[in-house]
Amino acid sequence: MASNGLIVRRTERFEISLPSKVRVGMQHLDQVQFAKGVVDENRWMGVELVDFAEGGIGFVSDAFFARGLHLEIAVPGFGAHAGETMLRCEMQVKRVQMTDRRPSYLVGCAFVNVEDETQAAIDRLIDLLDGEADQADGLGDAGDAGDTFGGRGDA
C-alpha cells in the first residue's frame, strides 16, 4: 500500500478474454454448493477470464462468489497450446462486483499456496500473453488497462 493510503498495483495485468473453469475449493465444499446444472459432474463451472497477473486473476461469472472463498481454477491453453490446461491452482476471492451489462459478477482473486510448479505455470502464461498480446489472437490487449476491480489485480 502506498503511504497515502492508496492501493497500488504490484504487477502488470493483461486484459484477456478466455473461457476457463472454476470450482469451490475443498475447504469450503461443505459450505458452498451449487444446484445441479450450474456445475458439471466434477463441480466445475464455466467462467470468462478477463485479466491475468502474476499475483491473481479476474473473471466474469453468472454465479456469486463471496469474498474469502477459496476456489480452484483451470485455465486452458491457447494458440499453439490449445487443448492443454496451462494452469490449475488455488486462489482466494478478494473482490466481487456486480456488472451492469447482464446479471453477472466481476470476481477478483489472488493466487494462494503457490508452489514452484504453479509459479512456473503462471510465469509461462505471462510469457505467452506478453508475446502474443500485440497479435491479439482473440485474447485482448496487454498492459495495465485500468482498474477493473478498483485496485490491484493481484490481491
Side-chain angles (χ1 to χ4, degrees), residues 1-74:
M1 190 174 338
S3 61
N4 62 3
L6 294 175
I7 298 174
V8 179
R9 185 173 315 287
R10 292 182 281 192
T11 59
E12 180 179 15
R13 180 174 63 182
F14 296 89
E15 282 197 357
I16 61 176
S17 179
L18 185 65
S20 298
K21 300 184 297 185
V22 299
R23 67 180 175 186
V24 175
M26 293 303 290
Q27 63 270 54
H28 291 130
L29 194 54
D30 290 340
Q31 299 163 327
V32 180
Q33 294 187 4
F34 291 98
K36 290 182 181 180
V38 175
V39 295
D40 67 15
E41 64 277 358
N42 295 314
R43 304 183 346 267
W44 290 108
M45 175 187 305
V47 297
E48 187 73 17
L49 190 60
V50 294
D51 71 48
F52 191 92
E54 184 177 359
I57 59 99
F59 65 86
V60 175
S61 171
D62 293 337
F64 176 80
F65 295 96
R67 274 190 348 196
L69 184 67
H70 281 247
L71 301 172
E72 293 176 53
I73 187 164

Side-chain angles (χ1 to χ4, degrees), residues 127-141:
D127 288 345
L128 284 170
L129 291 169
D130 197 25
E132 294 191 23
D134 293 336
Q135 302 168 7
D137 199 23
L139 296 174
D141 296 322

Side-chain angles (χ1 to χ4, degrees), residues 61-145:
S61 171
D62 293 337
F64 176 80
F65 295 96
R67 274 190 348 196
L69 184 67
H70 281 247
L71 301 172
E72 293 176 53
I73 187 164
V75 179
F78 50 87
H81 300 278
E84 63 183 272
T85 299
M86 295 290 295
L87 175 66
R88 187 167 171 180
C89 67
E90 184 181 353
M91 57 191 185
Q92 184 178 29
V93 176
K94 296 294 185 178
R95 292 178 182 75
V96 183
Q97 179 180 352
M98 186 175 224
T99 66
D100 57 354
R101 287 181 254 158
R102 59 182 177 157
S104 60
Y105 301 89
L106 288 171
V107 182
C109 298
F111 297 127
V112 295
N113 302 324
V114 178
E115 297 180 4
D116 291 342
E117 184 177 329
T118 301
Q119 187 61 53
I122 291 168
D123 293 343
R124 185 174 66 238
L125 247 171
I126 288 173
D127 288 345
L128 284 170
L129 291 169
D130 197 25
E132 294 191 23
D134 293 336
Q135 302 168 7
D137 199 23
L139 296 174
D141 296 322
D144 186 9

